[in-house]
Structure formats: structure tokens, C-alpha cells
Amino acid sequence: ACLVEAVEQLTVNPEVNATVIKSLREAANRLKSMVDYSRSHALIFVENKFLSLYSSRDAEDLAAADILFLNILTESFRRPPPPPPPPMPEPQLESDTEDSSDEYYSPPSSPSPSVPASERGEDCIDRELVILSGNGTYSPHAVHISTLSDGVSLLLLYQTSSETLCGGLNDAFAGLVMVENIQMTENGEEGIRKVMDILDGSMKRIFDSLKKNKNQNTPQIETTTKQLHSKWDQLRKKFQEVLKDKEGALGIDALATNLHALLRTLLRLTCLDRAGLEKGIEAAELVTQQVRASLTDFTAFLKVKAIRNFSLGSRTSLTINKYLEEFPGLVHFLYIDRTNHRVTAPSLDFSSEETVTLTKKKIWSMVEFSRTHLQDGHLAVMWKDTTFNYAYYLWFEDNTGSPIKAKVCPSTAVKTLPMPGIICGDFYRKLVEACFPKAAAAKVRCYELYCIHLGLATSSCVLEHSRRLAATIFEVTGQPSPLDIL
């Protein structure tokens, strides 16, 4: 899932899902009542699969990019620390007569890695302060990650600071980066005016937010705010001088550097203030105990379910039997709904060395190869090597599930887009906007399908399998099926 920057949904029956949602709702509401922050979320990961999420009524929805990031964060706490570096050789003394009792000490260059949750017991809770930005707004959140049972993680989140302030700081940093790239040429005035507009808007949001929450400001914040006003006035006057006389550009970098330093200080004192994280420690511990007790009868089932969400080698499901019977030669596939970035894929048996080799070498190279062509505007690609046949498709549908063709040629639309993915910007949402410039984004759905077949499969067989796979995947996902992918 991380490879294609999507979230793998753990599929459970409605009764289990309802029980989990009820437990998360109670957890989010209790967390909200125990801390001074009203916007809260509670979600569960089973291994690296997303199970369920509940958000309080006034909280902004978590985007797929946020959930993917939180999944990676959870995995980073779960994994064992790297082995310690080899000991440094003892220094050689130039003279035997020197005092041999002298001690040589070098402080570590980075903090010692934490012990994984599986070795610390279920009562240990990891905590981190993060800034989530998946929906285009920047909001600081305290994250408390606890282990309900081995492989089952509960995440409790609450927003600790204003998204207006955080977003203003982000835009201000972006504007200051642009200052460094301004070239004082004949067209330099246009760049200066653009930077001024960005900084004017961002600084206004920062000051308005600080004024609105003045009763929460510490003396340090008040002092930094006054300094920020002064430095911003100096930089703004310098911009105006430069517009009148290009020779006045000297000194603008130094003023921008000073403003940047104050903005960093303000970010640390507000959005990254760990006091908000510490306030929720006791509440997180109590809520975790509550959720663990309410789901104690289900955690073992969820653990087993995550290991084999569904598999092409399983005969315990009519759906999988259908795949085995109707898709001979199909080795693996990835089906991704790019509207919500949910991926559906058969589980692979990582106990087999052959499978590990396939995953690392074949699947990874398949995704890399297809993305290279996607950046050239190719929405359907088929190729083969000495072992397998590969196929990749990206297509669009309307809300009824009917396929629709792009209004703008994809090879033209992709020229200004970021790298395919969602963590560094939602490539697929921007692709939809570029290909359908006059359509409402909610009316166009985007899908991807990767297929690997045995090398003996013909191109017509791969194409036919791909069509039928896309048409029947709803039996696994529970979502309406696309009608056609080409």
C-alpha cells in the first residue's frame, strides 16, 4: 500500500465493523471530554491495514494522505530499532607517559531509538506531535499510539492549535523560499509582487489568529509577535524600495533570514508546543484501557484477518474461488480507488523466499515502470519480461459507474502535475481537475489497476482478465463495479 501511496482497507463483516465504530465513537467522545481540545479522532490499524476511523462532529475529516502518514508513523514505532553501530576504536596516545586515566567521550549524534511496542508491553503509549495537511489545510495534532494487542494499534488524535495560524506559517515559509529565488531582471518586479502578495496574506492570517487567541498567548509568544511585526514592516518597506529601484535589493536576504528565524520560533511556541501533547497523557491511557476492554473478543480475529485479508490461494471464500476459476494465470493484482485512495490486493505469503523476491523485484519495478509512462500521459500500458506479463490501467468514471473520456489530452494535462502519489500532493485529484476542467471534482472518479500474469498469457487474455477483474472487484470491496476500463 505504501508503494502505491494508498491505504489498504481491512475487510470485516458488518457486525464487527459496527462494534469497532461504536468503541471508537465512545473513545473519541471521552477523549474530547477529558482534554481541552474539541476536535478529536480515533482510528485502528491492524498490522499495516486500516480498519476503522471515527471523528468527532466538529473535527475536519482526515484525508487519505493523513491516514497513510499515520500508518507509516505507527509502523515506525512498531519496528525494532536498528542494530547499534560498531564501537569506535580507542584513540592512540602519542606518549606512553600521558595519563592513561583520561576519558574520551563523544555524545550520540541522534537520540537512541525507542524499544518496539511488542517488547515493551501493551501499556506503553507512544506520543508525537504532527502537522496533518491532507485536505489542503495545515492542522497540528497530538497523536497517542497504543497497542490493543500484538499487531492491533489504536491511535487517538486531537487538534492542538489553530489551522489558520499553522496555514499562515506554512504560506509564509513558502513565500520566503521564493524570496531566495527572485532574480533581479527585467521581469523581477512580477516575482517581487507575487511574493509580497503571498507574504501579505500569510502574515495577516498569522497576526489575526494570534490576536483572536490572545488569552492563550504566553509572554514568549507576545515578545516574538512584537518582533515579528517589526521585522515584517522592515521587509515590506524593503520590497517597496526594490520596486522603485532595483539597486536597493541589497540587504533583502538578511531581512528575510531574520523574519524566517522569528517564524520558526513562533512555530515552535505555538503549533509545535508539546504542552498540548502532555495534557492528553492521562486521558489517552484511560481511553486505551476502555477500547481494549470493549474489543478484547475481536483482536485475535482481526490479527488473523490482517495476515490474510484475502488471497488468490484461499478456497474459503466463494469470491476467491471465482477468481481462481475465471482468471487462470493471474499471479497478483492491485486495484486502487483513487477517489478515496483505497487499495485492494490479495495477500502474499511472505514466508516464501520466492514471494519476497517477486514482491521486491517484480512488483516494485512494475509500479516504477508504469508511473514513468503515467507521467508521459499514458493511461494504459502492457509489457512483459522473461517471466511475467504486466498491465497497468488508469481510467475515469462518472457517479453512475459509466466510463468517461478526458476532455483534455492526458499527455498535456500531466505536464504541470507533481509526481504520482498523494503524500507530496494529490496527483490524481489534480489529474482529474486538469483532464476535466469544467466538471465538479466530486462527479469524476479515478481508478487504477495493476495486473501480473504468467508469461504464457497472451495480450488478449491479459486484457480480457483485466476487464473482468475490474468488473467483479466489487465482490471483494463491496463498492459498485466499474463498467469498462478501456
Side-chain angles (χ1 to χ4, degrees):
C2 291
L3 174 63
V4 293
E5 296 194 21
V7 179
E8 185 172 3
Q9 177 77 53
L10 185 65
T11 305
V12 296
N13 62 57
E15 291 78 11
V16 173
N17 188 57
T19 301
V20 173
I21 287 290
K22 178 183 177 182
S23 181
L24 292 180
R25 179 175 65 248
E26 293 172 352
N29 290 336
R30 187 175 184 187
L31 180 68
K32 177 180 174 180
S33 67
M34 296 179 68
V35 296
D36 296 331
Y37 309 103
S38 60
R39 301 177 182 181
S40 60
H41 309 270
L43 65 154
I44 290 178
F45 289 113
V46 184
E47 296 297 341
N48 63 340
K49 297 176 177 63
F50 171 73
L51 176 60
S52 195
L53 162 70
Y54 180 84
S55 302
S56 62
R57 183 171 299 178
D58 49 355
E60 184 176 359
D61 291 340
L62 295 181
D66 296 327
I67 295 175
L68 178 59
F69 167 74
L70 292 170
N71 191 357
I72 296 172
L73 181 66
T74 303
E75 285 293 305
S76 71
F77 284 121
R78 182 183 295 132
R79 292 183 180 277
M88 296 292 291
E90 294 184 3
Q92 299 294 322
L93 301 180
E94 296 182 358
S95 172
D96 294 335
T97 60
E98 292 184 12
D99 186 1
S100 60
S101 64
D102 288 347
E103 294 184 358
Y104 293 83
Y105 172 73
S106 177
S109 58
S110 60
S112 300
S114 58
V115 179
S118 59
E119 298 179 12
R120 293 172 294 172
E122 296 178 353
D123 293 333
C124 186
I125 298 181
D126 293 298
R127 302 174 180 87
E128 195 54 78
L129 199 61
V130 301
I131 294 178
L132 302 179
S133 59
N135 285 311
T137 59
Y138 294 83
S139 50
H141 281 76
V143 184
H144 299 264
I145 304 174
S146 57
T147 302
L148 300 181
S149 69
D150 186 28
V152 183
S153 301
L154 170 68
L155 279 71
L156 300 172
L157 296 80
Y158 51 87
Q159 186 174 328
T160 59
S161 185
S162 165
E163 67 272 13
T164 303
L165 174 60
C166 195
L169 287 167
N170 175 77
D171 291 347
F173 287 129
L176 290 174
V177 170
M178 294 175 65
V179 171
E180 300 175 0
N181 299 324
I182 290 178
Q183 300 294 325
M184 298 314 299
T185 61
E186 295 181 359
N187 298 323
E189 291 186 9
E190 182 180 349
I192 293 174
R193 294 185 189 280
K194 183 178 180 180
V195 170
M196 284 185 64
D197 288 342
I198 292 174
L199 289 176
D200 263 328
S202 59
M203 296 304 293
K204 184 178 186 304
R205 280 187 288 157
I206 291 171
F207 292 135
D208 287 349
S209 180
L210 290 171
K211 185 177 180 180
K212 183 179 179 181
N213 299 289
K214 192 172 183 179
N215 60 328
Q216 301 177 12
N217 293 347
T218 64
Q220 276 185 297
I221 294 177
E222 293 289 346
T223 301
T224 303
T225 303
K226 291 178 182 178
Q227 295 173 341
L228 201 58
H229 272 290
S230 175
K231 295 300 180 183
W232 167 233
D233 287 340
Q234 294 177 26
L235 182 59
R236 185 165 47 187
K237 290 177 182 178
K238 193 66 176 179
F239 276 137
Q240 294 169 349
E241 291 177 9
V242 172
L243 290 175
K244 296 177 182 178
D245 180 12
K246 292 187 178 65
E247 300 298 326
L250 294 176
I252 198 170
D253 288 342
L255 291 173
T257 299
N258 291 336
L259 184 65
H260 185 272
L262 285 171
L263 289 171
R264 288 179 60 187
T265 300
L266 184 62
L267 177 68
R268 178 177 55 82
L269 293 174
T270 54
C271 300
L272 299 182
D273 180 13
R274 297 186 71 84
L277 185 65
E278 303 300 325
K279 288 180 181 179
I281 291 178
E282 183 178 354
E285 291 174 347
L286 292 174
V287 171
T288 296
Q289 294 173 10
Q290 170 186 321
V291 175
R292 183 181 292 124
S294 64
L295 297 181
T296 186
D297 294 333
F298 298 93
T299 50
F301 163 76
L302 294 174
K303 173 74 174 177
V304 173
K305 184 67 174 172
I307 295 174
R308 192 168 290 273
N309 200 10
F310 76 91
S311 164
L312 292 183
S314 170
R315 291 191 176 271
T316 59
S317 164
L318 291 176
T319 301
I320 303 309
N321 280 333
K322 182 173 182 178
Y323 277 102
L324 287 172
E325 294 169 1
E326 297 193 6
F327 301 97
L330 179 63
V331 176
H332 192 61
F333 72 87
L334 299 167
Y335 173 84
I336 310 169
D337 182 346
R338 283 301 179 184
T339 306
N340 56 16
H341 303 288
R342 293 291 191 269
V343 59
T344 301
S347 300
L348 293 171
D349 181 10
F350 285 97
S351 62
S352 167
E353 184 63 31
E354 181 181 355
T355 301
V356 173
T357 302
L358 166 68
T359 304
K360 290 184 177 180
K361 293 184 178 180
K362 301 298 183 180
I363 297 180
W364 286 53
S365 63
M366 172 183 67
V367 172
E368 182 179 0
F369 184 85
S370 61
R371 281 184 170 177
T372 300
H373 282 272
L374 179 58
Q375 289 179 285
D376 292 331
H378 303 151
L379 305 188
V381 188
M382 294 179 66
W383 70 103
K384 65 186 303 182
D385 59 19
T386 56
T387 310
F388 298 110
N389 279 338
Y390 306 89
Y392 168 76
Y393 311 94
L394 183 146
W395 71 99
F396 306 102
E397 298 176 7
D398 60 21
N399 287 335
T400 67
S402 300
I404 51 178
K405 292 185 178 181
K407 304 298 182 182
V408 176
C409 179
S411 59
T412 301
V414 298
K415 289 182 179 179
T416 59
L417 300 186
M419 294 281 290
I422 60 174
I423 292 181
C424 296
D426 193 336
F427 168 89
Y428 302 93
R429 177 179 57 81
K430 294 178 180 178
L431 178 63
V432 169
E433 293 172 352
C435 289
F436 302 89
K438 295 182 180 180
K443 294 184 178 181
V444 180
R445 303 181 69 88
C446 179
Y447 298 89
E448 284 184 303
L449 176 65
Y450 297 86
C451 290
I452 301 180
H453 282 77
L454 294 175
L456 296 176
T458 63
S459 297
S460 59
C461 174
V462 172
L463 180 58
E464 179 61 22
H465 281 189
S466 301
R467 289 177 184 271
R468 287 194 284 133
L469 179 60
T472 58
I473 194 66
F474 76 98
E475 296 181 12
V476 173
T477 64
Q479 300 298 320
S481 62
L483 298 183
D484 200 350
I485 62 176
L486 293 177

